[in-house]
Amino acid sequence: MITSTSNPRMKEIIQLRKKSRMRTKTGTFLVEGLRMIREIPKERLVQLYATEEFLKKHRKEPIPGTEVMLVSPEVFAYISDTKTPQGVLAVVRQSMFTQEEILEKCSGKSGTGTDRPAHLLVLDNIQDPGNLGTIFRTAEAAGVTGILLSRDCADIYNPKTIRSTMGAIFRMPFVYTDDLPGAVNSLKKHDIRVFAAHLEGERAYDEEDYRQGSAFLIGNEGSGLRQEVAACADVLVRIPMEGMAESLNAAVAAAVLMFEVSRQRKRY
Amino acid sequence: MITSTSNPRMKEIIQLRKKSRMRTKTGTFLVEGLRMIREIPKERLVQLYATEEFLKKHRKEPIPGTEVMLVSPEVFAYISDTKTPQGVLAVVRQSMFTQEEILEKCSGKSGTGTDRPAHLLVLDNIQDPGNLGTIFRTAEAAGVTGILLSRDCADIYNPKTIRSTMGAIFRMPFVYTDDLPGAVNSLKKHDIRVFAAHLEGERAYDEEDYRQGSAFLIGNEGSGLRQEVAACADVLVRIPMEGMAESLNAAVAAAVLMFEVSRQRKRY
């Protein structure tokens, strides 16, 4: 049993929790709590850590992986990201996708057979870890086929973000890119129509047809889409607002758009 | 200038920041930051506190209220809820609504003249302060006419919640109630149709007609609606989900429903 916080493995976990750079370097990230840990694809589990108390309590429940490393409750409290830790934590391998892989899974045209029309999100400088996780969670539910992120978005592997994804992190294809305008322009070559969520959009979001391949550009929480990114869109769409509301939360705006796609594709 | 953290007014502010009980007792709450402070209705401003630096920087900007109490930067850092305070904070009077007042502003039937059909949210045990604030913000944008909250919802006057409302707190009528099922039943007597957002809803949310008075029951983040609350609904509606997603974030689910109402009422 690991009983010291100066154990090298524990030190590494603290680094993985705190430092995006460390997560990138090792190609791993942390997942906490039974519910999330159950959703880890087996082949991506690197190491599982748990307290004796946790193992006793959940003796009958299926936990992925065979070898669990025991950690004392004191040390677990030290490595955990939550105030009241459940006592189970995993190191998990990051997944890697290319933009091509994301596009292979769908098509621009309203597809037949295994092909489904693309339903993509393109995130420009989303900063709030909770928002980012919520966008992933919502995207899975709305049938999004993949997510492109500008390099300066928050780190999807941040523990708070991972928690907010509610497991979508393991299933949603995504890729960070250094050249978001370039990436968006290449979507258009695949017959994907690109819509920018924009306060000055000339069209209301529900006046457009999303049944064929569609991508949505979603901008930063405070400042919206960068001009050079918005300029890549085929159409700027706005979500009509009442009252004195000036804008919507980024995750909320994305949700309204994604579920309009889902609604249109199911209904017709 | 207030230069001591043991100044009685500063002590009171700390209490207002930390304790819901204190906010209820005094009937006031705190608002921080220039953007939010500009939206405070004049008659509700009790006292404004600022640093000299803030006043110099914003000399030309309209700040409500005439008397500003100066606070030293050190003391301001102590009373502020944020890591990098702007240097302006207000004590604001809480607003009080009754359910009757909320209903007076709208009608069950698709109204004419000043009447607009009710568009209500009913929140059952929403716990996350950020979610609650985001729901208020989204509600204003979607044209919601009022919000009913169960007594055990998070405190809307929590500083984090206030921030997330982005000013909607000053404009959205709301009321906490000890008897949520009773409140919901009284809505029905006003010809308002009551929809429960429910994972086991028999109808997809977009198959219903929301052009007449409508209310939506939104449940707790983890456990959903309490059975006795869901039982009051006329219809359980679900938001169809794809992938392995089990549920949506409460603020996201509420947003999808609210904007479907907004979409239907505008389109037809």
Side-chain angles (χ1 to χ4, degrees), chain B residues 198-255:
Chain B
H198 206 286
L199 294 174
E200 281 152 31
E202 64 262 42
R203 303 270 291 171
Y205 74 102
D206 60 322
E207 294 170 344
E208 293 290 327
D209 185 336
Y210 304 120
R211 286 171 292 167
Q212 305 223 334
S214 305
F216 293 88
L217 313 184
I218 308 288
N220 173 269
E221 290 89 347
S223 51
L225 283 168
R226 274 174 282 218
Q227 215 174 345
E228 66 266 33
V229 178
C232 302
D234 293 302
V235 192
L236 304 191
V237 293
R238 77 192 139 73
I239 301 175
M241 288 185 289
E242 299 195 39
M244 293 173 66
E246 287 175 19
S247 66
L248 292 169
N249 168 286
V252 163

Side-chain angles (χ1 to χ4, degrees), chain B residues 39-221:
Chain B
E39 308 203 20
I40 300 170
K42 253 188 184 169
E43 70 282 6
R44 287 174 60 190
L45 181 65
V46 177
Q47 180 64 56
L48 203 60
Y49 297 93
T51 59
E52 259 179 332
E53 196 195 343
F54 174 86
L55 290 181
K56 266 183 208 158
K57 198 171 161 187
H58 298 278
R59 201 176 296 169
K60 292 175 185 167
E61 310 200 33
I63 293 169
T66 44
E67 273 191 58
V68 179
M69 199 160 283
L70 280 178
V71 177
S72 72
E74 296 72 29
V75 174
F76 201 94
Y78 175 74
I79 60 173
S80 170
D81 190 52
T82 61
K83 280 182 202 158
T84 51
Q86 283 185 33
V88 64
L89 179 148
V91 178
V92 181
R93 206 163 287 120
Q94 298 185 4
S95 53
M96 300 288 173
F97 293 90
T98 62
Q99 186 167 337
E100 289 66 40
E101 285 168 334
I102 288 173
L103 288 175
E104 268 169 24
K105 302 196 176 181
C106 52
S107 69
K109 299 266 165 65
S110 166
T112 51
T114 56
D115 260 11
R116 55 191 296 181
H119 179 184
L120 298 166
L121 288 185
V122 182
L123 307 181
D124 183 23
N125 194 23
I126 294 287
Q127 285 306 306
D128 182 80
N131 267 347
L132 184 57
T134 301
I135 289 174
F136 269 63
R137 176 183 180 186
T138 310
E140 180 180 25
V144 164
T145 56
I147 300 181
L148 314 184
L149 304 96
S150 66
R151 185 70 64 193
D152 56 4
C153 279
D155 180 12
I156 185 70
Y157 293 116
N158 174 311
K160 183 171 163 47
T161 309
I162 294 296
R163 260 199 309 280
S164 318
T165 69
M166 294 292 278
I169 181 67
F170 302 125
R171 299 179 291 266
M172 177 58 61
F174 66 93
V175 61
Y176 280 85
T177 171
D178 289 316
D179 175 17
L180 204 62
V184 171
N185 285 326
S186 87
L187 298 182
K188 294 199 223 167
K189 289 182 199 142
H190 284 80
D191 278 337
I192 293 168
R193 208 160 153 72
V194 177
F195 301 92
H198 206 286
L199 294 174
E200 281 152 31
E202 64 262 42
R203 303 270 291 171
Y205 74 102
D206 60 322
E207 294 170 344
E208 293 290 327
D209 185 336
Y210 304 120
R211 286 171 292 167
Q212 305 223 334
S214 305
F216 293 88
L217 313 184
I218 308 288
N220 173 269
E221 290 89 347

